[in-house]
Structures are given as C-alpha cells and as structure tokens.
Amino acid sequence: MVLILYNIFFTLFLSLYVPYCFVRGLFRKRFRRMLAERLGSIPNLRGRRPVWIHAASVGEVICSVPLVRKIKEEFPQALLLLTTMTQTGNSTARQLLPEAEVISFFPLDHPFTVRRAIGRIGPRLLLLAETELWPNLLRTCGKEQIPVFLFNGRISKKSLKGYLFFKSLFGDALKFITLFLMQTEGDRGRIVEIGASPGRVKVMGNLKFDQALPSVTRGGEETMARSLGLRGEEILLIAGSTHAGEEEVLLDLFKELRSIVPNLFLFLAPRHLDRLEEVEKIIKKEGLPWTRKSALSTDREQPVETTARVPPVILLDTLGELMRFYSLGTLVFVGGSLVPVGGHNPLEPLAFKKCVLFGPYMFNFSEISRRLIESGGAVQVDGKETLLFQMKSLLTNEKRRREIGEKGYRFLQKHRGATEKTFEEIKPFLQTE
C-alpha cells in the first residue's frame, strides 16, 4: 500500500517536473538532455554489461573517485557508467573521472523510468554511494538479479527518523541490496534498524579519507597567489562551501577581525554557484570591497604593489578549484555547519596541514568531526561569538595553528584504507561474466 502511494506521488511529481524541464529546455540544451536521461533515456549500453556507479552530487562523486579508479586499474576492460542527480555533480564527475566512459543523469525513481533505464543499461552490478535508497530501483534490480552494493554507506541520526517513519517502504526495499558497506558502527546500527539484514552489513571506514591528496609545490602556491593578485605573504581566511545564512555572519566577523589583523583577506566559496548573485548582494550590503576570482589576472606575473589594489574579499566563482586554494589558507572554515545543513567534508584542507574550524551542525560528518575534535585536529564552535573568539585566538597564535594542522594531517593519514577493503568485497562480482 505504501509503495502504491509512493508511486502515485512520483506520478504527480512527474506531471509537474516534465513540463518545467521542457520549457527550460527550449532555452537551454542541457535541460533537454537532463530531462531525457532522467526519464530513462540513458545511453544504450545493453550487451556491454557496464558497472553502474551512482553518486548523487559533488560530495558523493568525490568519495567515489578512489573506488572508481581502483576498479579501472584492476579491471581496465570494464565499462564504467556513472550517474548523478545534480548538474554540479555531473560537471564534477566529468572533471575528476575520465575513467568513467559514460556519465549521465540518474533516472527518476518511477517504475516506468527505472525499467526503461535498466533495460538500456543492462548493468553487471550497481554501486550506490552513501545514502541512495530508491525503492523502485532496488526492487527492479532485485527482479533482474542485478547485484547492488551500498558503498561508503551512512545514515545520519537526523535522516534515520524519516526512514523509520516509512520503514515499511524502505525496509522492504533493502532486502534487494547484496551488501551494505558502511562507514561506521553507528551507520551499521542505523541501517539494521531500518531493516537491513545484519549478516549483509559490514563496516569499511570512509572512502573520503582515501581521496587523492593534492600535491602543490611552493612554486605552485606562489602561482596561485599571483592568480589572486597576492604576494603569498597575506593572512588568508578561507570559507569553503558556505550556505545561506552563513555569509552574513562570516562577513560581519571578517570586518571585526580585519581591524585586528589588517593584512587579512577573505576567500569566500559558496557551495552552490547559482547563489553567486545573492552572495554579491550580501557583500555589497556589508560595505566591503570585493571581486570575483575569475576577474583577477591568471596569466601574468603580478607586481608586489598589486596587493594594495586587490579587494579584501575574493569570491570564488569557478568549479573544482577550492581544494587547491586551501593550500594558501591560514585558517579554513568549513561551511554548511553554522546553519543546519549538516556540514561538508572537513578532510580536504587537512591534506595541507591547515587549521580547520566548523560550526555545531556537522551531522552529515558526525563520526569524522567527533573523532577529529577528539584528536585535536580541528576546532568546533557553537555559534558566531565563539567563532569570533577562536578566530581571534588562532590568527594571533601561529604555534597553536600549526599544532592543530599537524594533528589533523596525522588523523587523515591514520584512517586511510577503506577503498581497498571496499574493493575486495566488490571484486568477486566484477570477475563474473
């Protein structure tokens, strides 16, 4: 009965979604392609038996990178299809994963679209990243005897309530998943509570620890600094992956901090680039000079005196560059954590031994953030006032900054290895023809 209601809801959703995308597709070609693929018109791979990896958005794509590369390294002849839900996830996959021969949009979870997509794909197996539990997809894979793995699986305490409310829907669908490869014991317990068989649930660790650590030389840092019009000696506060409600707080704190540290610059990177105009209005309202990163020179040597002409706020308006720019930071704030979004990956700046701060809302990375705090490798604040206090303290105490950065880096290195364990569980299913 619940599944019937779920499908009725999706049918009503499609009756609104399809005309919306069709109208937008009249003006933007990418919407036409997205609509077709989301309705199941994925490239026809039937007979080629691809490995289908689904990673919903940017975070899931990034966590999939080490596993996808490992599969391609060990099975170079395997055809890899990667699907995403979002446009930014799709763009990120095209940048980071040349190993995936086909990149497409994920079909909507309606019986018609799912059957159509699976009929065109004919996958050898399906790998779902993190929390992609789609009832019709799982049921159809079960009927077609397609092995399904949930890898880097996580269920937050917040999302658990929703799954338990619809337990009859999700619990029944979970029986079609071959193995649940979860991040932590807590995730293991929560997926079992929803309905997974305990014998099919294993703890692997977090693949995000295994992402390729960027290597930026001193010369590379100097080049990046010049691309921002800086000399490389400035004190740079990087606010990465910020959300609505955070920029106002950070800009207000930045004004106060700059009265103490005159050579302080703010590198502001909104999580979603479609918010750039909204963020620009906030910066103007705060009365701070600013520029987009793309407006700065990137192809010539900058004279030393240029620094005086660079505005104190630099807005990152390009995709895929934030992680490299972390190497320039003095302090790094992880966005999505001052507002109840759930935070973002705090591990990326640790690769550069940077001092990391985040707010109270880290429930999407609860286990990582808790262990990171316990190790002394990051600073968590409970709101605006404590964030200001900690930033003042850290900006004026280089020794403490370095100690936190070193501890964070050691924490990152200690927890690597989930990719190998996950691959060993999947490997027997890759070997079958």
Side-chain angles (χ1 to χ4, degrees), residues 157-176:
K157 292 179 181 178
K158 182 179 179 180
S159 64
L160 176 63
K161 296 177 182 178
Y163 285 118
L164 291 178
F165 187 79
F166 294 103
K167 187 173 181 178
S168 61
L169 176 66
F170 290 102
D172 187 57
L174 293 186
K175 68 184 180 183
F176 299 109

Side-chain angles (χ1 to χ4, degrees), residues 21 44 69 122 162 189-190 308 342 355 372:
C21 286
N44 195 339
R69 289 177 177 169
R190 287 186 282 274
C355 181
L372 188 53

Side-chain angles (χ1 to χ4, degrees), residues 35-56:
L35 176 61
E37 292 175 352
R38 299 225 65 190
L39 292 178
S41 291
I42 288 173
N44 195 339
L45 305 173
R46 192 78 189 180
R48 301 177 68 184
R49 304 196 67 226
V51 177
W52 181 7
I53 306 109
H54 174 57

Side-chain angles (χ1 to χ4, degrees), residues 173-295:
L174 293 186
K175 68 184 180 183
F176 299 109
I177 295 183
T178 309
L179 274 179
F180 300 83
L181 307 176
M182 310 303 286
Q183 295 181 18
T184 68
E185 286 292 343
D187 294 310
R188 181 188 187 280
R190 287 186 282 274
I191 198 71
V192 169
E193 191 175 352
I194 296 169
S197 170
R200 292 187 285 121
V201 184
K202 298 184 179 184
V203 176
M204 299 284 107
N206 194 330
L207 268 70
K208 288 182 178 176
F209 285 107
D210 291 345
Q211 61 187 297
L213 298 178
S215 177
V216 181
T217 63
R218 180 61 183 169
E221 289 183 11
E222 291 173 355
T223 299
M224 282 190 290
R226 285 197 301 270
S227 77
L228 301 177
L230 306 176
R231 292 175 297 184
E233 300 172 358
E234 294 75 14
I235 297 176
L236 187 59
L237 169 60
I238 298 182
S241 298
T242 59
H243 286 256
E246 293 185 312
E247 289 91 3
E248 294 93 338
V249 172
L250 292 164
L251 289 164
D252 189 45
L253 296 184
F254 176 69
K255 288 192 289 187
E256 185 164 349
L257 291 169
R258 206 160 195 258
S259 66
I260 302 168
V261 186
N263 202 30
L264 181 66
F265 287 74
L266 174 63
F267 192 77
L268 187 59
R271 177 67 172 182
H272 302 293
L273 294 184
D274 57 7
R275 293 188 58 242
L276 284 172
E277 291 185 5
E278 173 191 339
V279 176
E280 287 173 349
K281 290 177 182 177
I282 295 170
I283 300 172
K284 291 176 183 177
K285 184 179 178 181
E286 293 291 334
L288 286 163
W290 62 279
T291 185
R292 289 192 176 199
K293 184 265 173 185
S294 60

Side-chain angles (χ1 to χ4, degrees), residues 137 302 396 433:
L137 174 70
Q302 296 283 353
T396 55
E433 287 295 338

